[in-house]
Amino acid sequence: MEIRQNAFAFALAKTSAVLYALCALVVAIWPEGAMQLLGSVAHLVSVDKFAGDVQLTLGSFVIGLIEIVIYSYFAGWLFAWFYSRAK
């Protein structure tokens, strides 16, 4: 079975964009909780050492959104390519 690479990649990129925006919303509304969640995900005791001075701005949101869409599109395309060639 072959997966349509571009369709799969765009679907993953769109999904990642929505999840990224939801994550940014959590950071904007509840920054302390977001830091605790990040610490749990990254297995860190103190996230402040690594991300304590990071500010969420419109510019950082847009740059991060562009990055996540590009990375996830490439990952989705590559996954579909590998999947279609697995026999």
Side-chain angles (χ1 to χ4, degrees):
M1 180 177 145
E2 188 167 319
I3 295 176
R4 294 181 315 161
Q5 290 167 273
N6 283 330
F8 186 85
F10 275 121
L12 181 59
K14 290 175 190 176
T15 302
S16 297
V18 170
L19 293 175
Y20 178 83
L22 289 173
C23 181
L25 182 63
V26 170
V27 169
I29 293 171
W30 189 36
E32 298 84 20
M35 287 297 230
Q36 290 174 351
L37 291 172
L38 174 62
S40 298
V41 170
H43 310 292
L44 298 171
V45 175
S46 177
V47 180
D48 292 338
K49 289 180 184 179
F50 304 99
D53 61 343
V54 176
Q55 297 293 318
L56 178 61
T57 64
L58 180 60
S60 67
F61 171 79
V62 171
I63 290 170
L65 182 64
I66 291 168
E67 287 180 38
I68 200 71
V69 167
I70 291 169
Y71 297 151
S72 59
Y73 177 87
F74 180 71
W77 189 92
L78 195 58
F79 177 87
W81 187 83
F82 281 128
Y83 183 85
S84 296
R85 279 135 190 87
K87 303 238 175 183

